């Protein structure tokens, strides 16, 4: 394209294989994203619950005043900052899916944060509700419960993504 990062809101993606690690995205053939995905590396950004404006922007309801927080890396496709997770994917294969193109990507790099994801269910954007499982707090690191320690690390990741200097913080 024009060298600028592009995005598209997909209503789903799915895990295909653990070895090699593959995911599948299904994109409508008439979508602008279809051409950009074929034979190119891409990032699956799992938006956080507070990123509805980005989901709508990339779903065809552009907001000209929206500043997309791109994180551009030299050796990887760009990703969006502040997401709950991201997967950098190298093109694996593409398949005919009727009026859709099925694109398999091999996950080369990934990360996840302890943030609530934005969900799309029954035609509506939603955020998660009730926790179904609470992890036990029996394992400790530095005398702190593991869950507490991990939550603090995820909070630091979110601050770093937002460009906030975390150097003087004591975790």
């Amino acid at each position: 394209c024009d060298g600028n990062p592009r995005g598209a809101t997909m209503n789903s993606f799915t895990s295909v294989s653990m070895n090699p690690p593959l995911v599948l995205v299904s994109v409508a053939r008439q979508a602008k994203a279809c051409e950009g995905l074929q034979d190119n590396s891409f990032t699956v950004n799992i938006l956080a619950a507070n990123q509805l404006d980005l989901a709508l922007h990339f779903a065809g309801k552009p907001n000209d005043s929206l500043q997309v927080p791109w994180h551009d890396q030299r050796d990887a496709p760009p990703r969006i900052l502040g997401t709950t997770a991201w997967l950098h994917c190298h093109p694996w294969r593409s398949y005919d899916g009727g009026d859709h193109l099925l694109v398999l990507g091999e996950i080369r790099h990934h990360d996840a944060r302890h943030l609530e994801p934005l969900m799309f269910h029954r035609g509506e954007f939603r955020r998660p509700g009730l926790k179904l499982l609470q992890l036990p707090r029996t394992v400790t690191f530095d005398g702190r419960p593991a869950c507490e320690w991990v939550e603090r690390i995820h909070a630091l990741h979110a601050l770093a993504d937002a460009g906030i200097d975390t150097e003087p913080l004591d975790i």
Side-chain angles (χ1 to χ4, degrees):
C1 292
D2 59 8
N4 292 320
R6 303 258 180 197
T9 297
M10 305 287 173
N11 64 357
S12 68
F13 74 97
T14 188
S15 172
V16 174
S17 168
M18 293 298 285
N19 189 16
L22 300 175
V23 294
L24 178 139
V25 244
S26 174
V27 60
R29 288 192 184 276
Q30 77 271 13
K32 292 177 187 176
C34 187
E35 182 181 321
L37 272 176
Q38 209 161 12
D39 300 321
N40 289 309
S41 293
F42 60 94
T43 301
V44 173
N45 293 283
I46 301 168
L47 298 180
N50 66 346
Q51 293 180 310
L52 176 60
D53 54 347
L54 290 170
L56 294 173
H57 179 77
F58 289 123
K61 297 180 181 171
N63 177 349
D64 293 332
S65 65
L66 180 67
Q67 294 292 315
V68 178
W70 292 110
H71 181 266
D72 204 0
Q73 293 178 277
R74 203 172 10 161
D75 298 332
R79 65 179 174 87
I80 296 174
L81 294 174
T83 60
T84 191
W86 53 266
L87 311 166
H88 282 165
C89 301
H90 185 74
W92 181 262
R93 300 224 182 11
S94 294
Y95 298 96
D96 180 7
D99 62 355
H100 279 63
L101 179 68
L102 307 177
V103 180
L104 288 177
E106 180 181 12
I107 300 168
R108 296 286 177 93
H109 303 283
H110 61 87
D111 195 14
R113 308 289 163 82
H114 191 67
L115 300 170
E116 287 189 23
L118 180 64
M119 299 180 341
F120 189 76
H121 177 65
R122 299 178 115 183
E124 297 177 338
F125 284 100
R126 299 169 182 250
R127 64 186 311 147
L130 182 65
K131 272 189 183 177
L132 299 179
L133 174 67
Q134 179 65 42
L135 295 175
R137 293 180 168 257
T138 55
V139 179
T140 62
F141 294 97
D142 279 345
R144 295 180 182 165
C147 292
E148 178 185 328
W149 188 83
V150 170
E151 286 170 9
R152 289 175 186 247
I153 293 299
H154 287 304
L156 286 175
H157 284 195
L159 290 171
D161 268 359
I164 298 170
D165 183 13
T166 58
E167 193 65 33
L169 293 178
D170 175 30
I171 60 166

